[in-house]
Amino acid sequence: MIKLLRANLLRISKSVTFWIFVALYTLYPIIIALIEIQTYEPITSDKMLSLNYGVEFFPMQGVIIALLCSILFNADFSNGTLRNKVIIGLSRSKIYLTNLLTMIIISLGLSVIYIIIFFALGMPLLGKFTSSASTIIWMIVDGSLVLMAYSAIMTLIVMTCKNPIASLIISALVITLGALLSYYMDYIVSIPEVITTLSENQFGETIWVQIPNENAPSQAVKAFCRFVTDLLPSGQSFQLSSPGYTHGWTMDMYSRGGLHYWQMALYSLGIIGATSGIGILIFKKNNIK
Amino acid sequence: MEYCLTVDNVSKRYRNYLALNGVTMRVPKGAIYGFIGKNGAGKTTLIRVICGLQSPTSGTYSIYGATYSSKDIYGARRRMGAIVESPALYGLMTARDNLKHQFMLLGKPSFDGIDELLELVDLKDTGKKLAKNFSLGMRQRLGIAIALASDPDFIVLDEPINGLDPQGIVEIRELILKLNKERNITFLISSHILDELSKIATHYGFIDNGKILKEITSAQLNATCQKRVLFKVDTGDNLCSALDETGLEYKITSPQEGELYGEISISALSDILKSHGITLLKVSESDETLEAYYINLLGGSQND
């Protein structure tokens, strides 16, 4: 697999598109830091670091990974260069896993660039972290796993869908639907169980009272929606980069137990394992032209 | 005889379409095997199957004795190179980088040999020119260089001269002959251009409708495709004794017409016939080519 990985990295290093993405991703944290420092109430360092893993409901990193994966690996199908690998006796499992590993290296590599610039420029400008060290570490771990999960999903799509255009469309749909689903699930989770309304008391005075919200979903529905939000990379990406980090808020964005860090990590690992297993099974059986 | 490829009763079905229907063929070591068939006959499908790009629906094949379903096949494939349909190249990389990439895939410890390969396929002076800007002939030669990167003993070329100009065709032909003679590389070449194939092939396999119609060596083909002299005379009297005198095989097709198999000058034939009191009225030569043989074979199979 090492030889395949070296060959992949050589090819990618020759790709102009790849270097354009690297340049854009390098500019991204610089622009954030420079813009924020000029605002009246700049974001915290916590928030800036979190933008490495998502831009609230817009899963930017997912989009970047989908585009890169599509551009870099669809070429193998359209040029026919995948044939060169199979013909010389490289197993399909190795080819698949190497492409996945390559995509993970690229996505984590871009993330590392962001982190380096964050520490070099962002943090000096925006100040120290407001969250605890363990929270920051969990955010980096979960965020990195989200990027890996995105890489695994996009590799599955590109390696099993032989039509480059179709794979690009499917990738776009998966990301969009994932983001919309996460948004909807989060909306349900955030419906309050009690609402405050105006009412008259026994003396005829108008007062604020709290009454049960008839439209609130049951606890079971909320738990399910929270599970889906925790499971989906777009949901995790949203949670990690949510507004809860801004302006020195705590990480306790839901104010109901905080983020499920270790569960989210496990879900991401599960997604990586499941998509890779399914991807290898399909790729092994696919006819290559 | 030792074979580098044996295919036994291989079939390949795509949903309702049977692309290969029990193909059995043998490619001997050291041969240049011309694989002939019309479009849709199953040539590329069989090539894809033996290259591991697709699995057969039924049947089996082995490369250097390693059955396709065994683990040994990965090792056997390392002794193989192929160009299927079109050369598989990275257009945004130079010829050298494409070869570097292939060397890396093969796990070669160094890039020694790239210069030699570039020289062999006459691409040493392409410098920083990207493969996407290569002519078709250059792309084909680079494809062959990539196939040669693993020092293969067996190369499969699918329509290697399709779309090439006359100069490109000659270059590819000479390269194939050189590799076959100097490195003893076995070739399996599919082509429509039968005239060109007949200049290099030592063995032929004819495929139609997913079935192998016939396998034949070039010596057998030459024996079959010998020259014929068709003639018409004024009388059939003494014709047999006159034709015996030519020393060639012959066939009398009607009392005044016949065929001689082999080469004989018209004046010599006329003189022999005259000495037996026969006047030669009409004569024509028929040179049966690979193409004619193929068409006859195909016609026969369609009549079956």
Side-chain angles (χ1 to χ4, degrees):
Chain A
M1 257 174 73
I2 297 294
K3 60 191 180 189
L4 259 168
L5 186 63
R6 280 180 63 213
N8 267 2
L9 294 176
L10 168 81
R11 179 166 71 82
I12 285 158
S13 71
K14 304 279 178 185
S15 163
V16 177
T17 316
F18 169 72
W19 289 111
I20 290 172
F21 272 94
V22 171
L24 290 176
Y25 213 81
T26 308
L27 283 175
Y28 170 55
I30 296 172
I31 291 168
I32 291 174
L34 294 180
I35 288 177
E36 283 298 326
I37 198 65
Q38 291 174 43
T39 60
Y40 174 70
E41 207 172 9
I43 58 171
T44 61
S45 284
D46 311 43
K47 171 69 180 178
M48 184 177 167
L49 183 61
S50 77
L51 291 176
N52 190 17
Y53 307 112
V55 187
E56 296 171 19
F57 280 112
F58 174 55
M60 187 182 81
Q61 285 71 10
V63 174
I64 290 171
I65 290 168
L67 283 172
L68 271 171
C69 195
S70 189
I71 290 165
L72 299 175
F73 297 130
N74 269 337
D76 268 344
F77 287 92
S78 52
N79 296 339
T81 38
L82 183 62
R83 294 196 296 256
N84 287 347
K85 297 177 183 174
V86 178
I87 287 166
I88 58 167
L90 296 168
S91 78
R92 295 198 188 194
S93 315
K94 280 184 184 170
I95 294 170
Y96 185 99
L97 287 173
T98 308
N99 281 3
L100 170 62
L101 193 57
T102 307
M103 212 50 238
I104 286 174
I105 289 172
I106 291 173
S107 56
L108 292 183
L110 290 176
S111 169
V112 167
I113 290 173
Y114 184 101
I115 290 172
I116 290 169
I117 295 170
F118 164 75
F119 279 112
L121 182 71
M123 210 165 168
L125 292 176
L126 300 173
K128 289 181 180 174
F129 289 122
T130 54
S131 307
S132 66
S134 66
T135 305
I136 296 296
I137 290 167
W138 264 119
M139 179 167 67
I140 293 172
V141 169
D142 273 355
S144 301
L145 284 168
V146 167
L147 299 180
M148 290 167 70
Y150 269 127
S151 302
I153 293 167
M154 297 311 151
T155 304
L156 166 71
I157 295 168
V158 170
M159 295 296 285
T160 56
C161 178
K162 289 170 277 183
N163 183 324
I165 295 169
S167 76
L168 196 58
I169 292 169
I170 294 170
S171 302
L173 278 175
V174 165
I175 290 175
T176 310
L177 291 176
L180 289 174
L181 188 61
S182 301
Y183 180 79
Y184 181 66
M185 293 290 152
D186 180 69
Y187 163 74
I188 292 175
V189 171
S190 61
I191 294 173
E193 285 165 28
V194 288
I195 51 172
T196 308
T197 184
L198 286 170
S199 177
E200 277 192 4
N201 64 11
Q202 57 194 2
F203 307 110
E205 296 167 331
T206 304
I207 55 164
W208 289 101
V209 291
Q210 286 197 322
I211 58 167
N213 183 358
E214 290 174 2
N215 296 322
S218 67
Q219 285 302 317
V221 171
K222 278 195 169 191
F224 173 75
C225 292
R226 182 70 195 271
F227 164 74
V228 175
T229 317
D230 287 347
L231 175 71
L232 294 175
S234 49
Q236 292 193 29
S237 179
F238 154 66
Q239 292 186 62
L240 291 169
S241 63
S242 73
Y245 289 122
T246 53
H247 314 302
W249 289 11
T250 66
M251 306 300 272
D252 202 11
M253 61 164 284
Y254 281 111
S255 65
R256 45 185 176 272
L259 273 71
H260 298 159
Y261 288 115
W262 67 264
Q263 290 96 327
M264 293 199 314
L266 281 181
Y267 295 153
S268 289
L269 288 171
I271 287 172
I272 295 164
T275 50
S276 304
I278 294 166
I280 290 169
L281 277 179
I282 299 173
F283 183 61
K284 268 182 159 178
K285 291 189 174 172
N286 265 357
N287 286 330
I288 298 171
K289 284 200 168 180
Chain B
M1 188 179 283
E2 278 189 278
Y3 298 103
C4 59
L5 172 70
T6 57
V7 180
D8 290 302
N9 211 21
V10 162
S11 295
K12 177 69 184 175
R13 180 179 286 280
Y14 301 103
R15 293 195 180 127
N16 295 323
Y17 176 64
L18 188 62
L20 295 177
N21 185 8
V23 170
T24 296
M25 69 188 272
R26 302 278 181 274
V27 177
K29 275 185 186 170
I32 299 179
Y33 189 102
F35 192 34
I36 299 165
K38 61 186 178 188
N39 281 340
K43 300 188 299 292
T44 302
T45 305
L46 183 66
I47 286 175
R48 284 189 190 132
V49 167
I50 62 174
C51 287
L53 302 173
Q54 303 187 357
S55 298
T57 309
S58 63
T60 185
Y61 66 90
S62 55
I63 299 166
Y64 290 105
T67 314
Y68 86 96
S69 50
S70 71
K71 285 199 169 177
D72 296 339
I73 194 71
Y74 294 112
R77 287 200 195 286
R78 291 184 67 86
R79 297 174 65 185
M80 191 175 161
I83 302 180
V84 184
E85 287 187 295
S86 57
L89 315 169
Y90 290 109
L92 295 172
M93 283 163 49
T94 62
R96 180 175 293 277
D97 284 339
N98 267 288
L99 282 171
K100 270 188 185 176
H101 184 267
Q102 192 67 11
F103 269 50
M104 282 180 167
L105 286 180
L106 291 161
K108 292 205 166 193
S110 75
F111 297 132
D112 294 345
I114 287 183
D115 284 329
E116 192 195 340
L117 277 175
L118 287 172
E119 199 166 339
L120 183 73
V121 296
D122 199 19
L123 289 175
K124 204 171 182 185
D125 301 324
T126 51
K128 291 187 176 175
K129 190 173 184 175
L130 299 179
K132 68 174 181 178
N133 298 323
F134 282 9
S135 69
L136 195 59
M138 290 165 82
R139 290 170 65 84
Q140 200 66 260
R141 295 205 302 274
L142 179 55
I144 292 178
I146 288 173
L148 286 169
S150 58
D151 294 322
D153 298 316
F154 177 38
I155 294 183
V156 179
L157 301 176
D158 186 17
E159 304 284 358
I161 52 175
N162 246 13
L164 294 185
D165 58 21
Q167 178 65 26
I169 291 174
V170 172
E171 285 169 3
I172 296 293
R173 186 209 306 155
E174 286 177 353
L175 182 60
I176 291 168
L177 285 171
K178 187 177 174 183
L179 292 168
N180 178 251
K181 282 189 181 132
E182 292 179 5
R183 300 193 184 189
N184 200 29
I185 295 176
T186 306
F187 280 89
L188 169 64
I189 304 170
S190 82
S191 183
H192 292 115
I193 307 169
L194 304 186
D195 185 41
E196 199 52 46
L197 205 53
S198 67
K199 290 176 185 164
I200 54 173
T202 59
H203 293 70
Y204 298 96
F206 298 90
I207 187 169
D208 191 44
N209 288 326
K211 277 186 172 175
I212 293 284
L213 299 177
K214 186 145 187 140
E215 284 189 291
I216 191 170
T217 65
S218 58
Q220 286 170 321
L221 184 74
N222 287 339
T224 311
C225 299
Q226 57 192 323
K227 287 197 170 185
R228 286 184 303 162
V229 177
L230 312 172
F231 61 86
K232 188 175 181 183
V233 290
D234 61 341
T235 174
D237 298 343
N238 296 327
L239 185 57
C240 284
S241 48
L243 294 177
D244 284 340
E245 207 171 298
T246 63
L248 299 174
E249 283 183 31
Y250 64 87
K251 187 164 103 183
I252 295 172
T253 52
S254 76
Q256 290 169 290
E257 288 174 320
E259 295 175 1
L260 271 170
Y261 300 104
E263 284 190 70
I264 186 167
S265 72
I266 296 168
S267 57
L269 177 62
S270 178
D271 289 347
I272 293 169
L273 290 170
K274 201 176 264 180
S275 67
H276 288 80
I278 303 166
T279 307
L280 184 63
L281 298 176
K282 196 173 162 188
V283 68
S284 64
E285 273 192 347
S286 167
D287 189 2
E288 194 175 4
T289 58
L290 173 61
E291 191 174 293
Y293 180 84
Y294 168 64
I295 288 166
N296 281 337
L297 194 65
L298 206 64
S301 86
Q302 281 166 353
N303 292 335
D304 288 344

